[in-house]
């Protein structure tokens, strides 16, 4: 295999995740391909190998000495820590679907592993790639809101009722999913709010079950940040449509994102002074910072392993881990 092929070839560890096709589309557009596939389901492994013109990996040990630029982990959440650990031990940078692992303990362990190995371990918190949310972070960093006192973020969709999530699969098996349907979407909001406002110190969550699966499918969390700001996160699979909303209120102004438009309004002003349209959401963009880093380019939106592990710590402290 020549050097150009090495740079553009990745190993896929697990093909269970619903957003794998989105990541594959982004990879193809950037000139990357999957050259090797490991999956605990041999039928799925063989199907993916045929579709991607890739070679099967019988075991994770086969990653050692492999001529590939990195690993993409899209396995069931319960297997993330094992798959990530194997890739890091083989000297590979890693992209992982969210959450980083099935518990805070495992997430912190793989984050420490990546730090010792000095290897990239990036998690698919794609909100960091959304231009409107990057602009919101910039406005907060510039002091346009003054001291932020409260935050609310909602990220819901209709995947449960529409069944495009394939909820008859591992996603509703507590042993494999590790977290519920609220968490499946709430992790994006939790990561984004900590990215914008700093660490969450404490909170509590309530979840509900509308669909009858063995785990809950929607809910809300009330949070307090280390800064003293309060926050609310609402998320789940049970809305009537895809919705992303954000409210940040500070001493000097407020940011509001609703119905696809984000505004910045200074306190006391009758109308917003800044407006920005929300681009269509694409979870596949979560892999783009990883690909940029592999190419040696600037990688805005790259999530450090410690930051991703911090999301798991918040989840577990909220009592949301299922096993």
């Amino acid at each position: 295999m020549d050097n150009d092929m090495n740079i553009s070839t990745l190993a896929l560890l697990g093909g269970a995740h619903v957003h794998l096709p989105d990541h594959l589309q982004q990879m193809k557009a950037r000139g990357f391909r999957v050259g090797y596939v490991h999956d605990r389901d041999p039928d799925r492994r063989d199907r993916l190998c045929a579709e991607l013109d890739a070679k099967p990996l019988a075991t994770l040990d086969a990653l050692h000495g492999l001529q590939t630029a990195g690993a993409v982990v899209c396995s069931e959440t319960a297997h993330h820590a094992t798959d990530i650990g194997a890739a890091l031990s083989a000297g590979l940078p890693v992209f992982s679907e969210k959450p980083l692992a099935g518990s805070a303990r495992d997430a912190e362990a793989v984050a420490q592993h990546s730090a010792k190995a000095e290897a990239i371990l990036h998690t698919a918190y794609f909100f960091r790639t959304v231009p409107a949310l990057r602009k919101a972070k910039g406005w907060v960093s510039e002091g346009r809101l003054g001291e932020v006192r409260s935050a609310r973020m909602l990220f819901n969709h209709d995947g449960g009722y529409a069944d495009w999530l394939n909820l008859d699969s591992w996603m509703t098996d507590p042993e494999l999913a590790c977290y519920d349907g609220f968490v499946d979407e709430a992790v994006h909001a939790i990561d984004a709010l900590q990215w914008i406002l700093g660490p969450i110190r404490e909170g509590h969550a309530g979840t509900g079950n509308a669909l009858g699966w063995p785990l809950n499918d929607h809910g809300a969390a009330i949070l307090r940040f280390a800064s003293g700001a309060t926050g609310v996160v609402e998320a789940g699979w049970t809305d009537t449509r895809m919705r992303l909303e954000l409210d940040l209120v500070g001493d000097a102004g407020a940011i509001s994102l609703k119905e696809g438009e984000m505004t910045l309004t200074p306190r006391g002003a009758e109308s917003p002074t800044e407006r920005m349209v929300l681009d269509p959401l694409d979870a596949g963009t979560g892999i783009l910072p990883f690909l940029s880093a592999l190419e040696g380019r600037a990688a805005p939106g790259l999530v450090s392993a410690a930051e991703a592990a911090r999301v798991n710590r918040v989840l577990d402290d909220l009592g949301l881990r299922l096993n």
Side-chain angles (χ1 to χ4, degrees), residues 74-94:
C74 285
S75 55
E76 300 87 343
T77 302
H79 301 312
H80 282 194
T82 299
D83 293 346
I84 292 167
L88 290 173
S89 293
L92 298 176
V94 181

Side-chain angles (χ1 to χ4, degrees), residues 196-221:
I196 294 171
L197 301 179
I200 293 167
R201 187 176 68 195
E202 60 186 1
H204 62 273
T207 59
N209 192 311
L211 300 168
W213 298 104
L215 45 70
N216 287 342
D217 46 48
H218 69 284

Side-chain angles (χ1 to χ4, degrees), residues 19 132 150 229 270:
H19 287 309
S150 65
E270 294 184 359

